[in-house]
Amino acid sequence: MKITDVKIIVCSPGRNFVTVKIFTDEGLTGVGDATLNGREKAVVAYLQEHLAPLLIGRDPSRIEDIWQYFYKGAYWRRGPVTMAAIAGIDTALWDIKAKAANMPLYQLLGGASREKVLCYTHAQGTDIAEAVEAVGRRIEQGYKAIRVQVGIPGLPDVYGTGKKSVTNNAADDAFPHEETWSTSKYLRYVPELFKAVREAHGWDIELLHDSHHRLTPIEAARLGKDLEFARLFWLEDTVAAEYQEGFRLIRKHTTTPLAVGEVFNTIWDARLLMEEQLIDYIRTTTVHAGGVTAQRRIMDFASVYNVRTACHGAMDMSPICLGANLHLDLWVPNFGIQEYSGYLPEILDVFPSAWSLKDGYLHPGEAIGHGVEIDEKLAEKYPYQRAYLPVNRLEDGTLWHW
Ligand code: CS2
Ligand code: MG
């Protein structure tokens, strides 16, 4: 079999997505997600100019060799743009290989290790009452695990609670939306949120929270301690994790489980965190960590150190990324949980998917390949529109972590 063409499809059904579609001389095609929220066109250029021309004529079954060729062959290794581009190609090649083998991707990885994939979804409110109500609605929908975010009194809008934050897509602005932040206001208020949620909804629901990289290690340690009463499933992205050793301080002070890694793009970003068991869940996801080939490697490495998987699954991961994640989730022995923040209906129209959701559990389905396609005709109806993730400033104007 030979690769005959590679198409990079950019569309915006509610938000921008970058999709790689690979064609072969035997009529099989495969698709992969290469979306990098807020920097989509950088990945498109990387693919169109530097990688796609090198694929024509290659044997699509040589997935590992192609991955190494693009990873080592770049010389300038790693980074979100490079690894998202490689991910789009890699995921499409695994799709083709599983189709050629006439089986769902999870069978090619080693078969199912479970019957269904536990997921968590999002609930948020501009205040505690709204957030508590939102959690109730998610429980009624059957979810077993819910991430809870809340607006902070005195701050105009906070990550995960405003319209722009929820869609992560400020397409209606020429510049990134600017949020305002106060760590002290946040640290005082979040324990109140979880006290109210536990009082209202009890203990049979798993609760998660995302600090979105904004704390210092000692502030993260304080929050972890202050939240131990709530027995969270995890506290996510407390500290921007370039300085992995910083997590030793957090670990010393709290037993609240920690999750990190959605912004990581190679195993090296998480190596020390996992080797020293400074985290409990690794959040890398297929589109940002270099595809199925690399994600499987990270998952296996994590299993050596009692770290469980927790693929990032916000709306800016396309249904293709979710589909590929779900095949890995069904196979991986050290599975933790899969994020599922849901999709706008127009997104699911553009990306017909075999995966399904029932009573808080997902399943990739039994379609051959990873089970997700792209409706190219429909995708054309949603042209790309430049959009930015928000930025975050402290009350004195200092540019902070978003
Ligand atoms: C968040 C994401 O889902 C999460 O855990 O951190 O929504 C994140 O803000 C976006 O994926 C960024 O594009
Ligand atoms: Mg997050």
Side-chain angles (χ1 to χ4, degrees):
M1 196 186 314
K2 291 267 173 276
I3 293 170
T4 53
D5 193 10
V6 180
K7 271 172 94 174
I8 317 301
I9 303 160
V10 187
C11 63
S12 193
R15 51 147 311 98
N16 293 315
F17 292 108
V18 179
T19 303
V20 175
K21 184 165 186 175
I22 296 179
F23 298 78
T24 66
D25 59 0
E26 293 185 12
L28 285 178
T29 60
V31 290
D33 184 15
T35 305
L36 184 62
N37 195 1
R39 294 296 183 271
E40 296 84 358
K41 284 299 186 80
V43 181
V44 173
Y46 195 107
L47 284 160
Q48 270 171 348
E49 190 55 34
H50 304 299
L51 301 193
L54 300 178
L55 281 170
I56 308 304
R58 277 186 185 278
D59 173 357
S61 72
R62 299 189 62 181
I63 299 177
E64 186 66 57
D65 182 60
I66 289 171
W67 195 95
Q68 299 296 336
Y69 184 73
F70 286 147
Y71 179 76
K72 297 189 173 94
Y75 185 75
W76 315 105
R77 298 177 185 188
R78 303 166 67 176
V81 174
T82 298
M83 299 317 290
I86 292 176
I89 290 168
D90 183 80
T91 305
L93 293 176
W94 276 102
D95 193 21
I96 290 169
K97 188 179 265 294
K99 286 174 177 173
N102 199 31
M103 59 176 73
L105 176 56
Y106 76 84
Q107 293 291 12
L108 218 48
L109 295 168
S113 303
R114 54 195 55 78
E115 307 315 317
K116 51 192 179 179
V117 174
L118 174 68
C119 70
Y120 75 90
T121 194
H122 295 183
Q124 58 270 337
T126 51
D127 60 28
I128 287 180
E130 234 182 71
V132 168
E133 237 182 81
V135 170
R137 284 196 298 276
R138 290 305 198 179
I139 293 172
E140 279 156 24
Q141 291 167 357
Y143 287 99
K144 309 295 184 280
I146 301 167
R147 186 195 80 168
V148 195
Q149 305 294 130
V150 71
I152 305 295
L155 299 179
D157 56 3
V158 164
Y159 163 72
T161 60
K163 173 184 165 306
K164 293 188 173 62
S165 288
V166 171
T167 57
N168 295 325
N169 187 339
D172 46 350
D173 294 341
F175 291 91
H177 174 63
E178 298 222 351
E179 295 182 357
T180 308
W181 180 254
S182 156
T183 296
S184 56
K185 290 187 172 86
Y186 167 78
L187 289 178
R188 284 199 307 274
Y189 197 65
V190 169
E192 298 308 311
L193 165 70
F194 284 97
K195 235 179 253 147
V197 174
R198 282 298 186 209
E199 267 155 30
H201 300 299
W203 298 90
D204 285 345
I205 185 76
E206 295 292 358
L207 298 177
L208 304 86
H209 182 67
D210 191 346
S211 302
H212 226 253
H213 320 283
R214 301 170 182 212
L215 308 180
T216 63
I218 201 65
E219 290 165 348
R222 153 158 302 184
L223 183 59
K225 267 174 81 133
D226 289 352
L227 288 173
E228 282 177 4
F229 78 90
R231 305 179 75 82
L232 293 190
F233 186 90
W234 80 38
L235 188 52
E236 176 185 350
D237 278 343
T238 48
V239 177
E242 287 94 331
Y243 176 54
Q244 298 187 39
E245 293 82 349
F247 280 72
R248 291 176 186 145
L249 184 61
I250 309 171
R251 230 20 175 191
K252 255 198 216 116
H253 291 278
T254 181
T255 56
T256 294
L258 301 174
V260 178
E262 68 182 48
V263 296
F264 291 171
N265 49 76
T266 70
I267 202 162
W268 304 104
D269 296 333
R271 205 203 70 189
L272 185 131
L273 288 171
M274 293 202 277
E275 278 175 349
E276 294 191 12
Q277 297 187 34
L278 299 180
I279 58 173
D280 303 281
Y281 296 92
I282 181 65
R283 295 272 286 135
T284 53
T285 201
T286 305
V287 62
H288 293 310
V292 172
T293 299
Q295 182 67 357
R296 182 178 58 169
R297 212 163 263 144
I298 292 170
M299 290 175 155
D300 280 339
F301 186 79
S303 70
V304 174
Y305 299 100
N306 290 319
V307 174
R308 279 173 282 187
T309 67
C311 293
H312 183 202
M315 204 193 300
D316 50 295
M317 295 343 87
S318 96
I320 295 172
C321 177
L322 179 69
N325 282 345
L326 287 173
H327 285 273
L328 285 156
D329 292 339
L330 200 66
W331 150 74
V332 68
N334 52 311
F335 171 73
I337 198 165
Q338 169 65 51
E339 179 177 12
Y340 177 70
S341 67
Y343 290 102
L344 300 171
E346 55 269 36
I347 296 175
L348 295 175
D349 291 342
V350 172
F351 295 98
S353 308
W355 51 258
S356 60
L357 168 71
K358 187 164 175 278
D359 283 345
Y361 289 88
L362 291 160
H363 192 283
E366 297 300 334
I368 59 171
H370 56 47
V372 188
E373 295 297 343
I374 181 167
D375 180 333
E376 292 183 60
K377 272 258 143 300
L378 193 53
E380 280 170 16
K381 292 210 172 85
Y382 300 100
Y384 166 80
Q385 42 178 344
R386 189 170 61 211
Y388 293 100
L389 277 164
V391 298
N392 199 19
R393 290 185 185 275
L394 299 181
E395 290 166 301
D396 67 1
T398 307
L399 203 287
W400 198 241
H401 310 277
W402 179 71

